[in-house]
Amino acid sequence: MRNITAPRLLAVAAAALLALTGCATTGAATSPTQGTTANAAHSLSVTDAWVKSADQGMSGAFGTLTNAGSADLTVVSAATPAASMVELHETAANAAGDMVMRKKDGGFVVPAGGSLTLAPGANHLMLMGLTAPISAGDEVAFTLTLSDGSTCDFTAPAKAFSGANENYEGGMNTEPSK
Amino acid sequence: MTGDPRQVAPRRLSRRHLLLGGAAAGIGAAGIGAAGAIGIDLAGRAGQTSGQATGTAAPVAGGDTVAFYGTHQAGIETVPQSHVTYLALDLADAVDASALRRMMRILTDDAARLSQGAGALADTEPELAVVPARLTVTFGFGAGLVARTRRPAPHWLKALPPFTIDRLDAAWSDGDLLLQVNSDDPLTVAHATRMLVKDTRSFAAVRWVQSGFRRARGSEKPGTTMRNLFGQVDGTVTLAPGSPDFERLVWGAADNPAWLAGGTGFVLRRIAMNLDKWDGLDRSGREAAVGRRLDTGAPLTGTRETDQPDFDAKTAIGFPVIPEFSHLRRARSDNPDERIFRRGYNYDETPTGATGSNSGLLFASFQADVDRQFVPLQKRLDTLDLLNQWTTPIGSAVFAIPPGCGAGGYIGDTLF
C-alpha cells in the first residue's frame, strides 16, 4: 500500500502503527561531483504522509519529515505529477493579523536528529494546478529536493478532508472538497 | 477511605508508553501499580473536580490492544469487548472495483492505526485515539459490494429466507459494507466510527447504525456468558474459539469462493424484546420458555450452565422437564454441523409511543455457511419457540467476512 523497502517493512510490521515511507534517494548520490559523500536525502524519511483529495485546483500534502542525520536538512522544493506546481507553504499571520498561507522563504528546515510536521493549518506542501482529480484512496507520488540537490521520493494516500481551507495570501480560498 | 493519597506516588503513563506498551508486559506491571493509585487518588480527591483526578489517573485497560493484521480479521475470536457499533453502508452508484480498492486501503489503514492507539491519517481528534481499549474493526461485504467486483459470491450471501415471525424494517436490514467497531470504551468506539465514516464519504452513505453493549470490562470474569435484558444467560451454546469445531465451522472453506479463504459468514439480526410483556410472566414461566434456570443458566435438568440438557427427563406427572416448545429444545440440532459462533450484544434505546421499552438483542453469529448452519436453526425456532411470544426480529443482514491481511495488504485484497 505504500512504497516501502523490505527492511522497513519489518519495522512497519513490528510497530504496526507507523506508516514509514523511506526516501528513495536520487540525484546527488549518483552525481560524480558528490563522490562517495553521503547526501542529505539519505538522512530524511517521510512518515504518515497524506494528501487532501480534490476535484480540481488546489490541494495540500502533509506528513512528518524526520532527519536521522547530524546536520540540519533543508527541503527547497517539492514536485508531484498530480499538480503543475508545488510550493512549500507556512501558515502565519500577515500584517493585518489574519492567518494566511504563504510561501516559506528559505524552504523547510528539518533539524538534525529531529522532525518537522506538515499539517493542515501549519507548514504544508501546497499543490496548485491539479493535473487530474485526486480521489480518496489514490496514491500520489512526491519528490522533495534538498539544498544539496539530492532528492527524496515518497507516496501519500489521498483522504477526503474538510479542513485545510486557510486563506491563501493573494486572496484565493480553497473550497472544501470530497 | 483507608489510604493517604499522598503516600501513593502518582503514576502517569506517557502517551508513548501507552502506545508502545500496548498489551505487552510493560503496561501490565505499571498498570497494576496504577490501578491502586487511581482508586485511592480519586477517593482522596473527593470534593475536588474530577477533571483533576482523571488527569493524573494512569489508564489501566485503556492501553490494551488487539493485533490488527493476521490470517483472520480481529473482532471475531477476540473476547467480546463491552461495546459495539455495527454500521452498514450503501455504496454510491459510481463505485467500481477500483474505487473499492481505494476505499478499503484507506479504511484498512485507519483500522490498523486506531486499533494500536494511534490517530488515523488526517485524524482531527487524535487525542481520542490513544485509548484503544482493545479496539477492533471488522469489515464485512454484502452481496451488493461483491457484485461490483464481478467475482463469485458465496451462495448464501443474500437476504435470509423469510420467517413467519419476522417483522423486518428496511431501516435495520441489509447493506453493502459492514463495519463492526468494538472496544471496551464507548468513546473509543465513537471516535473510530466517526473516523471510518468520514473516510467512506467519497464512496458510500450510512444505511444504518446499531450500537450495543455488554457488561463493562472488569465487572465480571472475562469469558462469562452475557445476559440479555430478559435477565437470561444468553449465548451458552456456541463454538469455542480455537477449537477444531470452530476452525471447521467458522473458518472452514465450506464451498465458499477462494477469495473468502480465511474469512467466514456473518448474520446480524435485530431482535426486539418486549420487556413490558415479559414483565407479565412469572419466573417459572420464564424458565420454561427458555428451558434454562435464570440464576445459573443451567438447563432445567442440570445444575451448571455448561451441563448438557436431558430432553428425556420427565416431571412427576410425565411432562418433559425441558418443554418441547422451549427455546433450548428448539434451537438444538442433532446435526453437529448446524452450529454457529455467537457474539451478540444488548441494545436499549429510547422508548417510543406508549411502550415502556425499546430494547432487545443484536443477535450476531459467525458461520462459514449461513444456509447450512444458521438457516436450519432459525427455521426450527420459526416453527415453534415459546420465546417468540416476547421476541420479534425487526432487522436482518448477511455479510461475507473477508480474511485478514498482512501489513502490506488491505482487507479485501483477495477480492478486488
Side-chain angles (χ1 to χ4, degrees):
Chain A
M1 136 175 228
R2 293 177 202 90
N3 288 344
I4 41 183
T5 56
R8 292 251 154 104
L9 193 59
L10 287 175
V12 170
L17 56 94
L18 298 174
L20 201 54
T21 308
C23 282
T25 58
T26 56
T30 54
S31 166
T33 62
Q34 295 289 318
T36 56
T37 306
N39 64 58
H42 274 309
S43 301
L44 185 65
S45 62
V46 181
T47 56
D48 298 344
W50 62 279
V51 57
K52 175 175 168 168
S53 62
D55 290 337
Q56 59 181 352
M58 298 184 285
S59 182
F62 315 95
T64 302
L65 310 184
T66 301
N67 178 1
S70 54
D72 290 357
L73 300 178
T74 303
V75 177
V76 295
S77 68
T80 172
S84 58
M85 181 164 49
V86 181
E87 289 186 350
L88 312 184
H89 274 205
E90 63 178 350
T91 303
N94 65 9
D98 298 324
M99 296 302 287
V100 294
M101 299 195 298
R102 66 188 180 205
K103 207 167 169 180
K104 173 89 169 172
D105 292 334
F108 292 147
V109 176
V110 188
S115 62
L116 176 74
T117 300
L118 306 181
N123 294 317
H124 61 277
L125 303 180
M126 178 82 184
L127 282 63
M128 287 173 280
L130 296 187
T131 53
I134 298 175
S135 300
D138 280 347
E139 293 281 328
V140 179
F142 286 88
T143 300
L144 301 178
T145 300
L146 282 68
S147 55
D148 70 344
S150 62
T151 60
C152 169
D153 297 335
F154 67 94
T155 61
K159 300 198 79 171
F161 190 75
S162 301
N165 300 310
E166 291 81 1
N167 293 324
Y168 176 61
E169 197 168 57
M172 288 184 285
N173 285 311
T174 55
E175 292 299 317
S177 62
K178 291 189 175 173
Chain B
M1 188 164 61
T2 56
D4 180 350
R6 289 166 300 187
Q7 292 177 347
V8 180
R11 291 293 292 267
R12 188 198 297 252
L13 296 183
S14 70
R15 178 166 180 265
R16 182 173 180 78
H17 189 156
L18 185 58
L19 288 180
L20 300 180
I27 209 164
I32 291 167
I38 290 173
I40 297 167
D41 194 39
L42 287 173
R45 286 166 176 268
Q48 299 184 22
T49 65
S50 60
Q52 284 178 303
T54 52
T56 58
V60 179
D64 285 0
T65 58
V66 176
F68 177 78
Y69 296 109
T71 306
H72 310 301
Q73 288 196 67
I76 299 167
E77 292 187 279
T78 308
V79 173
Q81 297 94 330
S82 296
H83 298 272
V84 70
T85 291
Y86 302 100
L87 290 96
L89 297 120
D90 287 334
L91 295 172
D93 290 344
V95 170
D96 57 10
S98 167
L100 288 171
R101 191 178 304 120
R102 288 190 282 113
M103 176 180 73
M104 289 310 300
R105 278 181 167 168
I106 291 179
L107 297 182
T108 298
D109 187 59
D110 287 349
R113 290 168 185 266
L114 292 167
S115 70
Q116 303 307 304
L121 286 182
D123 195 335
T124 44
E125 291 83 26
E127 291 78 9
L128 297 180
V130 299
V131 178
R134 300 197 304 135
L135 174 70
T136 56
V137 180
T138 314
F139 299 97
F141 296 160
L145 184 151
V146 177
R148 307 277 177 111
T149 70
R150 303 178 188 282
R151 298 282 300 278
H155 62 85
W156 45 259
L157 188 58
K158 57 183 190 273
L160 295 173
F163 300 104
T164 59
I165 54 172
D166 288 354
R167 298 293 180 270
L168 301 184
D169 184 339
W172 303 119
S173 300
D174 306 325
D176 293 331
L177 174 68
L178 170 80
L179 308 181
Q180 174 193 275
V181 183
N182 276 118
S183 173
D184 292 319
D185 189 302
L187 183 54
T188 301
V189 171
H191 172 64
T193 300
R194 168 69 182 152
M195 190 68 231
L196 291 159
V197 167
K198 280 204 284 189
D199 277 335
T200 61
R201 283 179 302 187
S202 306
F203 308 93
V206 173
R207 180 182 178 86
W208 49 251
V209 179
Q210 305 191 50
S211 293
F213 59 91
R214 295 177 167 221
R215 291 279 188 203
R217 174 155 180 189
S219 289
E220 58 189 13
K221 204 175 106 188
T224 303
T225 309
M226 82 164 208
R227 284 187 186 268
N228 63 32
L229 291 166
F230 280 170
Q232 299 161 337
V233 174
D234 192 319
T236 299
V237 178
T238 187
L239 295 163
S243 67
D245 282 346
F246 192 99
E247 286 300 311
R248 185 170 63 90
L249 293 170
V250 177
W251 300 131
D255 47 11
N256 293 330
W259 63 263
L260 197 53
T264 187
F266 178 70
V267 172
L268 182 67
R269 304 268 290 172
R270 186 177 184 89
I271 301 176
M273 293 165 39
N274 191 331
L275 299 190
D276 293 344
K277 191 174 176 186
W278 185 248
D279 282 347
L281 192 61
D282 294 334
R283 198 169 179 88
S284 60
R286 293 178 171 202
E287 292 186 334
V290 75
R292 291 184 180 276
R293 294 174 57 95
L294 284 164
D295 54 358
T296 59
L300 295 179
T301 54
T303 56
R304 290 170 306 182
E305 182 193 344
T306 52
D307 285 346
Q308 286 301 307
D310 178 1
F311 296 124
D312 296 326
K314 299 286 192 294
T315 63
I317 54 173
F319 290 103
V321 176
I322 298 173
E324 290 286 342
F325 52 71
S326 69
H327 181 76
L328 171 60
R329 181 70 192 95
R330 296 299 301 169
R332 187 67 55 119
S333 171
D334 295 331
N335 182 347
D337 288 350
E338 292 178 1
R339 286 183 293 164
I340 59 177
F341 172 60
R342 298 185 54 184
R343 201 175 185 280
Y345 286 83
N346 300 300
Y347 74 84
D348 192 33
E349 310 281 354
T350 306
T352 56
T355 62
S357 74
N358 177 5
S359 310
L361 183 72
L362 300 176
F363 175 98
S365 74
F366 294 88
Q367 56 278 301
D369 188 325
V370 173
D371 279 353
R372 290 179 193 154
Q373 295 172 245
F374 176 83
V375 171
L377 185 159
Q378 186 57 42
K379 277 185 174 162
R380 283 194 307 280
L381 298 180
D382 188 43
T383 308
L384 176 66
D385 173 4
L386 195 62
L387 213 50
N388 290 342
Q389 295 200 25
W390 299 274
T391 63
T392 308
I394 58 173
S396 183
V398 179
F399 296 93
I401 305 293
C405 68
Y410 59 93
I411 301 298
D413 59 9
T414 57
L415 175 63
F416 306 133

